[in-house]
Amino acid sequence: VGCSACLVTVSAVLKSLDGVEHFNASIEQSQLNITYSNKTSKSEILQSLENAGFPMEPIPANNDKIS
């Protein structure tokens, strides 16, 4: 997430997904922290973000974080 306009789009995508419970974005670190339930999956979240033009990958050190 590189700018505030991007953050608006990413927020809309995440809010549209059933199961995303909470997310926190850092523009400075280009990082998202997402909490989600079993109503969705990491792969569904990543695919939705990629479809919106924001391809991201889990951070290897902590597989619950996405950047």
Side-chain angles (χ1 to χ4, degrees), residues 41-64:
S41 67
K42 187 183 305 180
S43 61
E44 183 178 357
I45 293 168
L46 292 171
Q47 187 62 54
S48 296
L49 291 168
E50 185 172 338
N51 290 347
F54 298 93
M56 299 188 188
E57 296 184 21
I59 296 172
N62 184 342
N63 218 14
D64 291 334

Side-chain angles (χ1 to χ4, degrees), residues 3 18-20 26 28-29 35-36 44 47 53 55 63-65:
C3 68
D18 189 29
V20 172
S26 170
E28 295 81 23
Q29 296 178 344
T35 304
Y36 56 93
E44 183 178 357
Q47 187 62 54
N63 218 14
D64 291 334
K65 292 185 178 181

Side-chain angles (χ1 to χ4, degrees), residues 2-45:
C3 68
S4 58
C6 298
L7 180 57
V8 170
T9 303
V10 167
S11 294
V13 169
L14 294 175
K15 288 177 182 177
S16 75
L17 293 172
D18 189 29
V20 172
E21 298 173 345
H22 176 76
F23 61 92
N24 182 356
S26 170
I27 293 173
E28 295 81 23
Q29 296 178 344
S30 296
Q31 186 175 358
L32 285 170
N33 293 311
I34 302 170
T35 304
Y36 56 93
S37 71
N38 61 0
K39 293 180 182 179
T40 192
S41 67
K42 187 183 305 180
S43 61
E44 183 178 357
I45 293 168

